[in-house]
Amino acid sequence: MKNTRYLTAREAAGELNIAVDSLYAYVSRGLIRSEAVGRNRRSRRYYADDVQKLKARKKGRRDPETIAEDALHAGAPVLESAITLITDDCVYYRGRNALVLARHCSIEQVAALIWTGNPETEIPAPATPDDKAFSGRILGGLQHVAELRPVDAFQVLLPLAATEDLFAFDLHARSVVRTGSRILYLLAALASGGEITAGGIARNLQRAWAPDDEHAAFLINAALILCADHELNASAFTARCVASTGATPYSVVTAALSAFQGYKHGGASEQVEALFREMETQPDVRQALLARLKRGETLPGFGHVIYRDADPRGKLLLRLLQESRGDHPDVRLALTTVRAAAEVSSLPFNVDLALAALARVLNLPPGGAMTLFALGRTVGWIGHAIEQYRIGRIIRPRARYVGELPEETASIR
């Protein structure tokens, strides 16, 4: 398969509609990065991302309104962030390979990395019953939301917790790390049905959800890390907009959760779970998927607005499931579905499919896949809030009016 991360000189020049000599000039000015191919120092390849960014800039100069409109739909970048870099085959948190972090770090370490730039930074410990910032009233509230899906419970109790955490109004980075830690541990407590004790978030979720399967903690932790951030998606952009107003981190996470639950975002995992329930009853998965396409239906868990090939987060999580649960019927179902989909569609699978498979394999409670996604992504939302607080400017884009003109204006014309 062609490596879509790089272009040859001829391909890069063609994308920019310039001569190859002009391409070399862009490289010498630092606008496009290149690297040698193998040991032949004279043969070089060029970063496709740099070429596309330069192409977008040139287009923007000719048609700034079009480029601004496209930017809202996975187009040109609209703001700067030092948190996450996405390439065709990997995701990096502050320059570190997220796929490697998922195998070797804890979600707490990744939170420290995203929030402070240093994974060795100790984030504040979880709340205890005698911690005044989280009173018995809030911890007792766990009983009143026990019947709700965890993601719904998050939004019920977060505003209540906000009223009792006075440090939440201090928006300096160090204080936001403290508040973010409290939010993360509170949500983990809600998800697990109790307080977070020694061992960390993933271990506590494993004890609550899969008490007889200690290795499940590793899989849960990996999923949390792979979901921690994904650049400027809808919920992260919502988080930044709310943070830009000077609202507290509690409001940031509550608003982000509202955007997250839509079926085109975090709620997509529930559609995949429904697809799996349908596929496990079908004698021929390929024909069942083809029938969906013939009816004009989508294939939940397949396709992504960013990736051209399979989502690297989903690939790793499904690989980890294969390594530890290769004979599990739900792993086989997921792999069968992926293979069958490849025969009827060009859309590769994404992280939603892998999360739904993980939820089935570990027999997580209803909404477990979306809960894992939301818990992990809370780390990213707090990270974006910290960046936005530091910028100190409100996000206020303009709209191009296309409605009916005022009567007096129309009459003049």
Side-chain angles (χ1 to χ4, degrees):
M1 182 178 294
K2 178 178 173 57
N3 191 333
T4 56
R5 187 178 177 184
Y6 303 100
L7 299 173
T8 65
R10 187 177 299 277
E11 289 170 336
E15 282 288 314
L16 296 169
N17 194 27
I18 58 176
V20 173
D21 287 345
S22 298
L23 174 69
Y24 299 151
Y26 283 132
V27 172
S28 66
R29 289 159 54 193
L31 296 174
I32 297 176
R33 293 170 293 171
S34 68
E35 61 182 44
V37 179
R39 297 182 179 180
N40 185 356
R41 306 298 298 179
R42 299 183 61 182
S43 178
R44 304 190 69 81
R45 57 186 182 180
Y46 302 83
Y47 280 63
D49 282 348
D50 292 352
V51 172
Q52 293 304 320
K53 288 176 183 177
L54 186 57
K55 184 177 180 181
R57 283 174 57 186
K58 293 175 68 176
K59 180 182 177 183
R61 294 191 191 102
R62 295 192 301 269
D63 190 358
E65 288 192 2
T66 298
I67 200 67
E69 182 177 347
D70 290 345
L72 295 176
H73 308 284
V78 297
L79 54 79
E80 295 182 347
S81 174
I83 297 175
T84 300
L85 170 66
I86 299 173
T87 67
D88 283 342
D89 55 5
C90 198
V91 177
Y92 300 87
Y93 300 150
R94 296 200 181 277
R96 304 195 184 198
N97 190 322
L99 309 185
V100 175
L101 295 174
R103 285 184 178 271
H104 300 290
C105 293
S106 68
I107 183 59
E108 289 86 353
Q109 289 174 310
V110 171
L113 172 65
I114 289 177
W115 296 347
T116 73
N118 182 2
E120 302 305 319
T121 300
E122 287 192 20
I123 62 175
T128 60
D130 59 351
D131 190 331
K132 294 181 180 179
F134 286 99
S135 67
R137 183 163 66 99
I138 295 175
L139 293 174
L142 294 172
Q143 302 173 8
H144 301 291
V145 296
E147 300 302 317
L148 298 178
R149 295 183 313 167
V151 174
D152 295 323
F154 293 170
Q155 290 194 294
V156 171
L157 284 190
L158 269 176
L160 179 61
T163 65
E164 300 200 5
D165 189 350
L166 301 183
F167 275 91
F169 295 94
D170 184 348
L171 303 184
H172 293 92
R174 186 172 180 178
S175 292
V176 178
V177 168
R178 177 187 183 279
T179 302
S181 176
R182 290 179 173 277
I183 291 172
L184 181 60
Y185 281 124
L186 174 63
L187 299 188
L190 286 170
S192 62
E195 298 172 48
I196 296 297
T197 56
I201 290 173
R203 180 61 67 187
N204 277 264
L205 292 174
Q206 173 262 316
R207 290 170 182 160
W209 291 346
D212 299 325
D213 185 357
E214 290 198 0
H215 183 71
F218 171 78
L219 295 171
I220 290 170
N221 182 74
L224 292 172
I225 290 173
L226 293 171
C227 292
D229 191 58
H230 206 234
E231 199 213 62
L232 207 58
N233 48 76
S235 60
F237 187 66
T238 299
R240 293 195 78 118
C241 288
V242 174
S244 79
T245 71
T248 72
Y250 287 91
S251 296
V252 167
V253 174
T254 301
L257 277 166
S258 296
F260 173 82
Q261 291 190 68
Y263 73 89
K264 294 182 180 181
H265 193 4
S269 59
E270 296 192 329
Q271 293 181 316
V272 183
E273 290 174 334
L275 178 70
F276 280 152
R277 288 193 294 271
E278 177 186 342
M279 291 304 107
E280 68 182 345
T281 66
Q282 301 298 319
D284 189 328
V285 172
R286 182 180 63 178
Q287 288 301 317
L289 294 177
L290 185 59
R292 290 180 64 93
L293 294 175
K294 288 180 177 179
R295 295 192 298 267
E297 299 176 14
T298 61
L299 299 184
F302 293 87
H304 197 284
V305 70
I306 297 294
Y307 300 108
R308 301 178 187 179
D309 298 318
D311 183 337
R313 304 166 301 166
K315 286 175 65 176
L316 175 60
L317 192 53
L318 197 55
R319 188 180 310 126
L320 294 177
L321 281 172
Q322 283 182 267
E323 291 172 0
S324 62
R325 305 288 199 282
D327 294 331
H328 196 287
D330 286 314
V331 174
R332 293 200 299 269
L333 174 64
L335 294 174
T336 298
T337 303
V338 167
R339 286 192 291 266
E343 296 181 23
V344 298
S345 170
S346 62
L347 296 177
F349 72 94
N350 58 40
V351 74
D352 297 308
L353 182 137
L355 284 171
L358 174 65
R360 287 176 64 94
V361 169
L362 299 185
N363 195 28
L364 300 188
M370 184 161 39
T371 301
L372 272 180
F373 202 160
L375 275 174
R377 189 55 55 86
T378 297
V379 171
W381 295 332
I382 296 297
H384 283 284
I386 291 172
E387 279 197 337
Q388 196 61 45
Y389 291 143
R390 186 178 293 120
I391 293 171
R393 295 176 60 189
I394 192 167
I395 295 175
R396 202 312 186 179
R398 295 297 308 276
R400 184 172 66 252
Y401 181 70
V402 296
E404 184 176 344
L405 292 174
E407 290 184 6
E408 59 271 22
T409 305
S411 61
I412 291 174
R413 292 186 177 180

